[in-house]
Amino acid sequence: MVTVDQMNQLSDLELDIYNYIISHRHEVIHMKLKDLSTDLHVSSSMITRVAKKLGYEGFLEWKAEMKLDQEDKPIQNKRALNYILDYFNRVDNKEFDDLIHQAAEIIVNSHEVICSGIGLSDAIAKFAASLFNRKGKRTMYSGDFSSRFRGMYDQNDCALFFTVSGETREIIDRIKDLKNMILRLL
């Protein structure tokens, strides 16, 4: 990793060489030193001098580190991006808006909101509970999945279960238990 002190040691020309290499690193990692020096219109020794001022043994070591950095970074998955965009296109309709309004109405009319989740979903549930509390809605957070529902839920309450994956076994089981308890009360 290049430090500020190392950057301050570079002359204007050396800084231009550094900036070029960093901004074109995807091409540079496949180039020979001679080809890079030709492209930059500087000597090979000048590029080597920049590498040494940055703390590398030479250009090859700098290039190797850039290669390793590139391999460590995940490549953007265009299919995943298309999946997300497809989702937003599917929910941009009146039917989805109506469902959101129905859910909001249930929350507004409930006596208390109970938020629950596991893992990342647990953090989202805690955050949701704090947001509802700030807006004046009586809200409880429950992260204890060993507890039973009796006495914990009232028919005028609203339970919000958060799950990022939609496949968390504990969340699914808790929803089923709550559904069975409600059916017995009816």
Side-chain angles (χ1 to χ4, degrees), residues 70 73-82 84-85:
Q70 181 178 329
K73 294 182 181 167
I75 298 170
Q76 182 182 11
N77 186 342
K78 289 185 181 179
R79 284 186 11 199
L81 182 60
N82 288 339
I84 292 168
L85 292 173

Side-chain angles (χ1 to χ4, degrees), residues 131-174:
L131 288 178
F132 282 124
N133 276 322
R134 283 188 211 149
K135 292 295 182 181
K137 188 67 180 172
R138 186 175 166 191
T139 309
M140 181 181 97
Y141 159 76
S142 173
D144 181 11
F145 280 77
S146 64
S147 65
R148 294 287 160 228
F149 296 110
R150 291 206 191 282
M152 188 173 178
Y153 295 98
D154 179 87
Q155 65 185 10
N156 297 318
D157 291 343
C158 171
L160 298 177
F161 294 97
F162 293 83
T163 172
V164 173
S165 70
E167 300 174 358
T168 309
R169 174 67 19 217
E170 294 87 352
I171 294 286
I172 293 169
D173 290 344
R174 190 156 195 163

Side-chain angles (χ1 to χ4, degrees), residues 20 23-31:
Y20 178 87
S23 61
H24 296 89
R25 76 179 80 204
H26 301 294
E27 297 89 17
V28 170
I29 61 173
H30 301 291
M31 295 175 79

Side-chain angles (χ1 to χ4, degrees), residues 25 35 112 127:
R25 76 179 80 204
D35 296 333
E112 184 173 20
F127 184 67

Side-chain angles (χ1 to χ4, degrees), residues 41-96:
H41 306 289
V42 296
S43 67
S44 298
S45 60
M46 181 64 138
I47 297 170
T48 302
R49 188 171 30 255
V50 172
K52 287 184 177 183
K53 282 188 174 182
L54 296 174
Y56 301 102
E57 290 292 317
F59 175 70
L60 286 177
E61 185 182 3
W62 187 12
K63 188 167 97 167
E65 184 174 287
M66 285 189 289
K67 247 184 205 181
L68 287 173
D69 283 349
Q70 181 178 329
E71 290 172 4
D72 289 345
K73 294 182 181 167
I75 298 170
Q76 182 182 11
N77 186 342
K78 289 185 181 179
R79 284 186 11 199
L81 182 60
N82 288 339
Y83 178 79
I84 292 168
L85 292 173
D86 180 55
Y87 169 77
F88 284 113
N89 287 331
R90 282 187 284 122
V91 298
D92 188 22
N93 60 51
K94 183 172 176 11
E95 182 182 349
F96 185 78

